[in-house]
Amino acid sequence: MRPQNGDGIGANRQDIGAFERIFSGTPPIDFDGDGKTDLSIYRSSIGLWLYQLSSSQENAGETFGNATDKIVPADYTGDGKTDVAIFRPASGTWFILRSETSTFYTVNFGISTDIPAPADFDGDNRADIVVFRAAGGTWFLNQTSDGIVIRQFGTSGDVPAVGDYDGDKRADLAIYRPAQGQWWISRSSAGVIAFQFGSSADKPVQGDYTGDGKTDVAFWRPANGNWFILRSEDFSFYAFPFGLSNDNPARGDYDGDARFDAAIFRPANALWFIQRTTSGTLIQEFGESNDIAVPGAFIP
């Protein structure tokens, strides 16, 4: 379960400020390390990643993966930049392209039915390779500092909803149970909580929308395009419409103000609609109709 092409982990950690500033347990999609989520797509038919760097508005890309792979972008090397990465279910192999050197390494961790859920669970500013095995509700964590951990949390039918719900700079095990619209969260410093918030057709879009350093429970309702955000500060909620039923949610911090923004990618015409909390609404074409929005990679 060790990298096969050289260790590479932690090769360059000179600037992790941007990562810490927007960390919410959910891997930020920030390919240039400026603290802003980048518009980015994955074209599975040819394994093509395309991203628009928010720091320069320049487009960049990589060919890495194939049509049957699952994308798992995160900062695995601790340099504050998202690494292009894929999980290959057929072999249970992770392929990670280092942002520093454009070299890659592989790690065998998981089986074909596992759901990848990478995040920084041990607090070393590097995303850990993690899978959730829904059949038994079991989590397998390959942590860069604390080693391999296996934990039972959840049951069949649950989906991962990882985040830093207690604000201790460590990701917490969390699941959304669509059948009952329930959230179950095992906070690393504050214990387990569970509550109902959502319904079976809703999509979990957790993130720090209020800027307090803690992940807010949140979901997007495709039926009417409404977003529902449960504030971590006082467990009150607010809701607003943003999107249509055929859109794909792609939340992130697109303006770098340490608050998540509601965002959707509309595959029909490759349009992005982003409701930025500081910089206003952005509407931009980026990608093609069958592309996958990278910021929505971990939304079921």
Side-chain angles (χ1 to χ4, degrees), residues 248-269:
N248 296 324
R251 81 297 194 231
D253 182 8
Y254 290 86
D255 50 10
D257 64 352
R259 292 178 290 174
F260 266 41
D261 307 307
I264 58 97
F265 174 65
R266 186 162 293 165
N269 49 18

Side-chain angles (χ1 to χ4, degrees), residues 1-275:
M1 296 181 184
R2 301 293 300 169
Q4 297 176 3
N5 293 338
D7 185 82
I9 298 292
N12 184 355
R13 300 184 62 198
Q14 74 269 19
D15 183 7
I16 58 174
F19 183 96
E20 290 178 329
R21 184 158 53 87
I22 66 172
F23 179 84
S24 71
T26 301
I29 306 304
D30 178 12
F31 292 98
D32 51 6
D34 67 346
K36 298 179 181 179
T37 298
D38 300 313
L39 295 182
S40 43
I41 60 90
Y42 178 65
R43 193 163 297 158
S44 62
S45 59
I46 55 175
L48 177 65
W49 299 67
L50 289 175
Y51 36 91
Q52 183 178 89
L53 303 176
S54 54
S55 58
S56 64
Q57 299 304 302
E58 295 178 350
N59 293 338
E62 304 281 353
T63 300
F64 198 73
N66 62 43
T68 60
D69 295 334
K70 296 181 179 181
I71 60 172
V72 287
D75 181 9
Y76 297 91
T77 62
D79 68 342
K81 298 179 181 180
T82 295
D83 302 305
V84 165
I86 58 99
F87 171 68
R88 185 158 293 166
S91 60
T93 306
W94 296 63
F95 295 78
I96 298 169
L97 187 68
R98 303 176 181 92
S99 58
E100 303 94 321
T101 61
S102 293
T103 60
F104 78 92
Y105 64 98
T106 64
V107 179
N108 292 321
F109 198 75
I111 60 175
S112 62
T113 55
D114 290 343
I115 303 172
D120 180 12
F121 286 86
D122 52 11
D124 64 356
N125 296 302
R126 295 174 288 176
D128 304 311
I129 291 173
V130 176
V131 296
F132 174 63
R133 193 161 295 167
T138 307
W139 295 74
F140 298 82
L141 296 83
N142 191 349
Q143 299 172 116
T144 52
S145 290
D146 291 348
I148 293 174
V149 174
I150 301 172
R151 287 189 58 188
Q152 177 77 31
F153 192 75
T155 190
S156 180
D158 294 344
V159 294
V162 170
D164 179 12
Y165 294 90
D166 51 8
D168 66 351
K169 299 296 186 294
R170 293 172 179 249
D172 303 311
L173 297 184
I175 59 91
Y176 179 63
R177 187 164 293 163
Q180 288 86 36
Q182 293 177 348
W183 296 73
W184 292 75
I185 302 166
S186 179
R187 298 170 296 176
S188 52
S189 65
V192 175
I193 56 172
F195 46 84
Q196 198 276 334
F197 191 67
S199 63
S200 60
D202 296 334
K203 294 181 178 292
V205 289
Q206 70 279 3
D208 184 6
Y209 293 88
T210 61
D212 68 342
K214 298 179 182 180
T215 296
D216 302 305
V217 166
F219 66 84
W220 182 68
R221 181 161 288 166
N224 54 21
N226 282 335
W227 295 68
F228 293 78
I229 316 293
L230 188 68
R231 299 178 180 92
S232 59
E233 298 94 326
D234 58 11
F235 291 99
S236 65
F237 81 92
Y238 63 101
F240 54 90
F242 198 71
L244 303 174
S245 60
N246 292 326
D247 294 337
N248 296 324
R251 81 297 194 231
D253 182 8
Y254 290 86
D255 50 10
D257 64 352
R259 292 178 290 174
F260 266 41
D261 307 307
I264 58 97
F265 174 65
R266 186 162 293 165
N269 49 18
L271 279 177
W272 293 72
F273 296 82
I274 303 171
Q275 188 170 288

